[in-house]
Amino acid sequence: MLLKFRKPWELKESQLTEESVYLNRRNFMKQAALGSAVLSAGLVTGCDEPSAEVTAPAKKAATETSIDPSAKYYPAKRNDIYKLDRDLSFEELATTYNNFYEFGSSKNIHEKAQALPLRPWSVAIDGMVEKEMQLDVDDLFAKIEFEERLYRHRCVEAWSMAVPWTGFPLKKLIELARPLSSAKYVRMETFNLPDIASGQKAHWYPWPYIEGLTIEEASHDLAFIATGIYGKPMPKQNGAPLRLVTPWKYGFKSTKSIVKFTFTDKRPVSFWEEIQGSEYGFWANVNPDVPHARWSQATEQPLGKSERVPTLLFNGYADEVDDLYKDIKGERLYT
């Protein structure tokens, strides 16, 4: 007799918010009016803007797909293993309230981000691999099977959302890269175009944006390279054409608009770690019992909701990822 035990994030199919519901425009307008009013009343966030407010959603989300050559891959088939314990965030909120420091520190960055050119776009795979390579992003897409996953997203600033990402497991790219056994980390690097991305003219930031994972983290089933959201190609402000998604970590680990994957035996120093290592460490795993230096992490504010909710250890994925860290001693795993 086969017994199937439901994973922590899984719900019955009957409990899942259907696509027709979360894309319903009339329902969105009712909910967003309430949500934006509550959020703009004074949600306290962190990082460099501890008093920044969540802005009201734009009248039209910037999710235009007509000129994106990858549009043919969407919508992708949903992987029903990855479900949620909460409602999906509304598309207009998730695509207009964004961190993208390449274009400035404001959350209302989606319009400025439209300056980012997405083609041509190449991705380098180098370092400790059998053969270094440079791939056109559309050639990479042609080698990969896309799927949709429903994930929670928890920002270090104590706001959160729940979104349907489209993309592929990061371990698929690792298989393509064929790293040497001596490679211990995957270092990810974003574009560096200060003439286009005005935020990159800020000389006090260590551009380009760098992030990293251990090989074990990068190979985990949950680690995901997102290429789309809400059944469409990824909007520029959300990290097109490639972004990392690690749902058990704080959102600043999910680096956007990646141009290089380097396999190395040296631990990468990430963007925020270099700026303020005492507050933003390499691991950045979610833990409600470990506060940020300047605010509590015990609760979070879901976008579009009127009430704060408790934050979960590893953002609710503890049973899946806890073993990754059981042998790591003397390090700050949760900042």
Side-chain angles (χ1 to χ4, degrees):
M1 180 177 182
L2 178 63
L3 297 177
K4 184 179 185 299
F5 295 94
R6 191 174 294 128
K7 295 183 179 181
W9 63 74
E10 291 189 77
L11 296 177
K12 297 177 181 178
E13 188 67 27
S14 61
Q15 296 173 290
L16 183 63
T17 303
E18 294 296 330
E19 181 177 7
S20 60
V21 175
Y22 74 73
L23 290 180
N24 183 280
R25 305 287 293 188
R26 185 171 298 175
N27 186 46
F28 160 74
M29 292 304 295
K30 293 177 182 178
Q31 296 295 326
L34 172 63
S36 62
V38 172
L39 290 171
S40 63
L43 171 61
V44 176
T45 57
C47 288
D48 285 13
E49 298 180 290
S51 62
E53 296 178 348
V54 178
T55 58
K59 293 181 179 180
K60 179 179 179 182
T63 54
E64 181 64 44
T65 64
S66 60
I67 61 173
D68 192 316
S70 70
K72 61 185 178 182
Y73 297 113
Y74 304 89
K77 183 178 180 181
R78 180 177 295 169
N79 186 332
D80 288 328
I81 292 176
Y82 304 95
K83 297 182 181 179
L84 293 171
D85 62 346
R86 60 198 68 186
D87 294 336
L88 286 164
S89 301
F90 287 104
E91 178 181 353
E92 283 83 350
L93 286 170
T95 58
T96 58
Y97 185 74
N98 311 102
N99 284 321
F100 204 169
Y101 275 76
E102 284 81 350
F103 291 94
S105 58
S106 168
K107 293 294 187 297
N108 188 24
I109 208 69
H110 58 278
E111 292 182 352
K112 286 186 177 180
Q114 302 315 304
L116 180 65
L118 297 185
R119 298 297 188 281
W121 193 281
S122 61
V123 180
I125 298 175
D126 62 13
M128 294 179 170
V129 294
E130 289 188 8
K131 184 179 180 181
E132 295 187 343
M133 62 185 81
Q134 190 92 11
L135 292 172
D136 178 86
V137 71
D138 293 307
D139 291 339
L140 173 62
F141 288 172
K143 298 175 184 291
I144 298 292
E145 183 176 355
F146 287 78
E147 63 181 74
E148 182 181 73
R149 294 184 179 187
L150 308 184
Y151 275 171
R152 293 187 290 273
H153 177 93
R154 173 59 156 82
C155 182
V156 72
E157 299 172 330
W159 58 268
S160 64
M161 59 182 179
V163 294
W165 301 109
T166 300
F168 54 90
L170 177 52
K171 64 183 178 181
K172 294 294 184 183
L173 186 140
I174 295 174
E175 292 170 2
L176 179 66
R178 303 180 69 176
L180 305 179
S181 60
S182 52
K184 305 300 181 186
Y185 300 92
V186 183
R187 177 186 183 275
M188 285 152 280
E189 181 176 321
T190 65
F191 68 89
N192 192 13
L193 298 170
D195 290 340
I196 293 170
S198 58
Q200 291 186 324
K201 294 179 180 178
H203 59 83
W204 52 88
Y205 287 131
W207 303 112
Y209 200 107
I210 302 297
E211 260 306 339
L213 300 172
T214 66
I215 288 288
E216 291 76 18
E217 290 177 316
S219 301
H220 194 277
D221 287 341
L222 287 172
F224 199 63
I225 294 296
T227 64
I229 188 173
Y230 293 96
K232 306 170 187 177
M234 188 75 73
K236 295 178 181 183
Q237 67 273 14
N238 289 93
L242 297 171
R243 71 168 288 168
L244 175 67
V245 176
T246 48
W248 70 98
K249 294 179 177 287
Y250 290 116
F252 68 86
K253 292 291 291 187
S254 295
T255 184
K256 297 179 175 181
S257 304
I258 303 170
V259 299
K260 183 187 290 187
F261 296 86
T262 300
F263 293 81
T264 176
D265 58 357
K266 303 292 191 300
R267 183 192 289 188
V269 178
S270 61
F271 180 85
W272 285 108
E273 185 181 11
E274 183 170 344
I275 293 170
Q276 184 56 278
S278 64
E279 296 186 3
Y280 307 100
F282 174 79
W283 299 103
N285 296 313
V286 176
N287 190 331
D289 297 325
V290 178
H292 184 275
R294 290 176 279 132
W295 58 84
S296 170
Q297 297 287 21
T299 63
E300 62 201 58
Q301 181 75 63
L303 294 185
K305 300 294 184 179
S306 60
E307 296 180 357
R308 298 181 73 86
V309 299
T311 292
L312 304 175
L313 180 63
F314 289 108
N315 202 25
Y317 299 98
D319 288 347
E320 304 308 308
V321 301
D322 186 65
D323 284 349
L324 291 172
Y325 310 102
K326 64 181 180 181
D327 296 326
I328 298 176
K329 309 297 181 183
E331 296 211 36
R332 298 180 298 118
L333 296 175
Y334 305 108
T335 56

